[in-house]
Amino acid sequence: MKRTGLLLLILSFTVLIVQAQRDIISINRKLSPVLLNNRRLFTDKKEQVFWIVTSNIDSARNYIRTKQLPVTILQEHAGGLLVVSARGSLLDSFVLNQPFVRFVDVPRVPHEELAVGTFDNSLNTINLVHSQYPLLNGVNMVASVKENKPDTTDIDYKARYISTPLSSGLIASHASYMCTIIAGGENSFYTGNGVAPAASLISSNFATLLPDGDNVYKQYGISVQNHSYGTGIENYYGADAAAYDASMINNPGLLHVFSSGNSGNLVSNGPYAGISNMANLTGSFKMAKNIITVGATDSFGNVAFLSSRGPACDGRIKPELIAFGEDGTSGAAAHTSGTVLLLQEYYKEKHNGALPAASLIKSVLINSADDRGTKGPDYQSGYGCLNAYQALQALVKEQYFTGSALPNFTQTFTINVPANARQVKVTLCWTDPAAVANAPKALVNDLDLELVDNNLQVWQPWVLSPAPVIDSLLKQAVRKKDDLNTVEQITIDNPISGTYTIRVNGTSITSGANQPFSIAWQTDTANQFQWQFPTAVDYAQSDADNLLRWSSTFSANTGLLEYSLDKGASWQTIEKTIALSPGNVYWHVPDTCSIAQLRMTINGQVFMSDTFTISPVLPVHVGFNCPDSAMLYWDRIPGITTYRVFRLGQKYLEPISTSSDTSIIIRQPGNNLWYTVAPMVTPNRSGMKAYTINYQMQGVDCYLKNFLVDLDNGNTGELMAEIGTTLHVQRITFEKLVNGSYAPLQSFQPVTTLYFNHTDKNLKDGVNTYRVKIELNNGMVIYSNPESIYYFLTTRYLIYPNPVKVTGYLSVLTKEEPQNTYLILYNTLGQQVLQYRMQQTIEMVPLYGLKSGVYFVMIKKNGKKEFTSKIMVQ
């Protein structure tokens, strides 16, 4: 019972923490890039106009009314879009966290599909894989994301999300973010480009911290499951850790990938109690042996300050890898999960559809990682930073072995090390049987790795000190027998050339007759250079700082870095003596839209980059949104004469037309809602696509974009209108409802601007109603929805509409907050048919199915008659 209570406490704590993290992320994901970059808009005390996309307008309206929030709904549009006037601070405090709020923006910045903000596929060379292996995209692979449910309407994985009973009932933007990193299709923007953009996705609820059933993984073909969540710091090998180890034993091709946690600055507990900044993985399930636990780095490969560190509770090396994740370790895990899919896909193509053993993929990932921080493995960065391209090369070059260890039996394998090698690296990995929950040492079957050179010198793996003392935990690894880890790694710097022998000994196999294992190996040769960013599939954003990346094994310290915008006819110097060892440098890219190329000269050797594209971000706007057509327009880019328009197809963006103009009219768009535009840098090469927009969600109707009316100085009406485009517009007219019909107030012709204003100084007592009339050259006339100003001159109450439909509501406005005030209706016989207590300055009075006819209205306050009128009910 005590154990059950503890697990329930841990589970409750988990849900609270993850819920809080999700709420923070969800609010940020609801905001447009403009609002994210201008949070001051939420602290400004003056009222502003916001666009709020809701899942249900009624829910939003009722919430605002019930809470009596000073939020004025100015317009309502199809698709749940509200145009409101409010203080940003009020929205921030009371509205953004409501479940019906899907997206918040400010006018004229229409980015409905938020792109991933901290996007970088180059640190972990994922972009290099995309460039060199364009057909490797995760097709026919399935990843499961275990947490809350993603937004299944997200266009970045359109038609690739598989609905199952496994998913949570709660939708969270954090889950959408993870899905986008793993398998985004780049439909929203280039930052929506996932690691495996053709993979399918499944969601699994993390309300239980245990793995899904074995039948689930088999039924849906799941080969990797991403776990970007945590609980608190839990330093023990729990039942959940054992369950995940067993899950991988039962499903040999399945790999579980966990984030290490975002508690790297906290003090540890358990065996490492009192030690700061170490042993703070967030969840006992992360103590599993067979999984991969991933820490986070910044764009330079440095371990993030908040990334949780190892060791595991029994001293094992954790995390095994680090990867880019400025959002935290969640993103780092997702990058790794996507990379696993690509490696599994490549292996399957070469092995008649058979999945590789998880131990093989794990060994390849760890062996190819770039060493960071302290030389060799350590408890901050594990075995190094994810390098997707090098991991794939191990499979391409078949630099791996598989085998099965027998008790007290040694197996051998041979590799050849070239003469110019700077390092040889070998990694052994096996999927170990689950240990008993809460075991002080999780290892069950102990294998030992050795490497023997030509001179019969024996090299042992790197081993860290697990002693619970900070000085010990920070020590550099030493070579010795490893009796803790299921991963063992040997490196030799500047090895002598020749044939080397790998030995794997089944030192202690206590579970089963044998123990399957995998080995990955590689050699790094001297005087090699490779561009990592930009590649042919990358964009460098113009007039902005872009981080160039490369890898180099030259002993030289510096090189000459140049760029060309004319296919190599001339070269401009970026830096004459660029330091090679960091592997990166910021370059402020020229303000142009062009193809380009880089070159690095080292000791007279020239290394050319791929031809890549320099491109600005191109905003796309909606000119009009009419039933039969819609107009898109964009800014002209100097030097660009052609633009390509894309539409979201069944799964991905598809080109639909090419235009030499900066606008296009889409005829009969139907259900095709999402569009974007890219400049054509060459006839066959496009620049960066604009943010993809849903043309119906930009606050633009049929030509009319905004129509606002307001009472100014208590006695003057201010009318403001905005149209989306002047194309084909002949005349704009403000009209006012007078004696049952609309009369013109002011006309504008010719139409040369998008913005129009009029002041009405002749307000009548009561309701003043206006509309905008748009006349086109072809004779078509478009009217706005009517908007009203309520002017209290001689009366304290306004009642409308009159006549009112029997199924409708009677609106009652009062100049002052009503107290003990009732609205009473009488029929023509003098019988009371309705009594309604007024509690707000604006009331919507239901008529409860009254019969058609004339009714007399009386308003009483504190028992005294204050107002009388009559209405017609139809």
Side-chain angles (χ1 to χ4, degrees), residues 701-722:
D701 289 326
C702 195
Y703 278 89
L704 186 66
K705 192 170 186 179
N706 283 305
F707 176 40
L708 306 176
V709 299
D710 198 9
L711 181 65
D712 188 33
N713 294 325
N715 59 5
T716 303
E718 292 292 339
L719 283 63
M720 299 160 283
E722 179 186 359

Side-chain angles (χ1 to χ4, degrees), residues 440-451:
K441 179 178 175 181
L443 188 68
V444 175
N445 290 336
D446 186 11
L447 309 186
D448 283 310
L449 175 68
E450 293 179 335
L451 186 61

Side-chain angles (χ1 to χ4, degrees), residues 720-740:
M720 299 160 283
E722 179 186 359
I723 59 175
T725 178
T726 61
L727 181 69
H728 303 317
V729 180
Q730 182 184 60
R731 182 166 43 244
I732 300 291
T733 303
F734 286 113
E735 296 183 335
K736 183 174 183 179
L737 185 63
V738 179
N739 297 325

Side-chain angles (χ1 to χ4, degrees), residues 681-703:
V681 183
T682 70
N684 299 314
R685 194 181 194 115
S686 67
M688 191 184 301
K689 297 182 185 71
Y691 284 88
T692 303
I693 64 169
N694 180 330
Y695 77 93
Q696 290 189 346
M697 301 290 286
Q698 308 312 306
V700 180
D701 289 326
C702 195
Y703 278 89

Side-chain angles (χ1 to χ4, degrees), residues 212-263:
D212 297 319
D214 295 337
N215 61 313
V216 168
Y217 300 116
K218 293 179 174 67
Q219 177 182 353
Y220 296 107
I222 298 166
S223 58
V224 64
Q225 188 167 51
N226 188 80
H227 306 260
S228 291
Y229 54 87
T231 54
I233 298 174
E234 299 173 344
N235 268 317
Y236 62 94
Y237 182 86
D240 43 11
Y244 278 104
D245 281 337
S247 174
M248 291 181 59
I249 289 288
N250 298 337
N251 302 275
L254 171 66
L255 189 54
H256 290 285
V257 179
F258 283 83
S259 59
S260 68
N262 299 331
S263 299

